[in-house]
Amino acid sequence: MPEVNVNGHAYAVHGAVGTTLAEALRDELSLTGTKVACGEGHCGACTVLVDGIPTLSCITLVHAVDGAKVTTIEGLRDHPMVYSFVRADALQCGFCTPGQIISAVALVDSKAAPSTEEIRHAMAGNLCRCGAYPKIEEAIRTWQD
Ligand code: FES
Ligand code: FES
């Protein structure tokens, strides 16, 4: 039975072998802020941090993160990046937003003031069907304001 630290709380996850991290988070721990769109590793909606690294939870088995520290969007509710997304109006439907914020936080954790190129590179795996990219970039550029 994998043990995972999620947002500072230790959980023993009961999921059967083959359970994805996204399924464990959403169905077992009721942390539904993590979204699943493609379910195949293509869109980034399900991104969470595993030991600080952006990770696609829809294609990561929960047994593979045994002992790891996982951060979901619920664990970032007081992060300035969340407020920056709101301030910049960096969403439309909002379905991609948790994954966008997770990737953005990982980026600014490694470099507080990334260039536009660096933002585009780091965020390339997070798709937004609503096309909110200019506002998402603005939110990341201005998160410290
Ligand atoms: S839902 Fe995981 S990458 Fe699309
Ligand atoms: S805000 Fe709708 S998919 Fe990004």
Side-chain angles (χ1 to χ4, degrees):
M1 187 183 305
E3 293 205 5
V4 187
N5 184 304
V6 183
N7 302 329
H9 302 282
Y11 296 99
V13 180
H14 300 277
V17 172
T19 300
T20 66
L21 177 55
E23 289 168 337
L25 291 170
R26 291 179 52 84
D27 302 339
E28 195 168 328
L29 305 183
S30 298
L31 294 171
T32 54
T34 298
K35 304 302 181 200
V36 176
C38 71
E40 296 180 343
H42 299 307
C43 73
C46 64
T47 306
V48 298
L49 299 179
V50 176
D51 292 331
I53 308 289
T55 301
L56 299 173
S57 63
C58 75
I59 54 167
T60 300
L61 296 179
V62 70
H63 286 71
V65 298
D66 187 18
K69 184 173 165 227
V70 176
T71 304
T72 70
I73 191 67
E74 289 88 349
L76 296 178
R77 66 177 76 239
D78 294 322
H79 196 286
M81 187 63 76
V82 174
Y83 300 104
S84 194
F85 267 65
V86 172
R87 203 168 48 232
D89 197 18
L91 58 137
Q92 288 186 40
C93 77
F95 202 81
C96 72
T97 310
Q100 302 278 3
I101 291 175
I102 293 276
S103 293
V105 165
L107 171 61
V108 300
D109 276 353
S110 65
K111 186 169 188 187
S115 66
T116 300
E117 282 263 290
E118 289 166 330
I119 292 172
R120 289 181 183 172
H121 181 75
M123 302 299 292
N126 288 85
L127 305 186
C128 175
R129 283 176 181 259
C130 299
Y133 298 112
K135 299 277 194 179
I136 291 168
E137 284 181 26
E138 180 187 332
I140 298 170
R141 266 199 321 274
T142 61
W143 77 281
Q144 295 184 99
D145 292 357

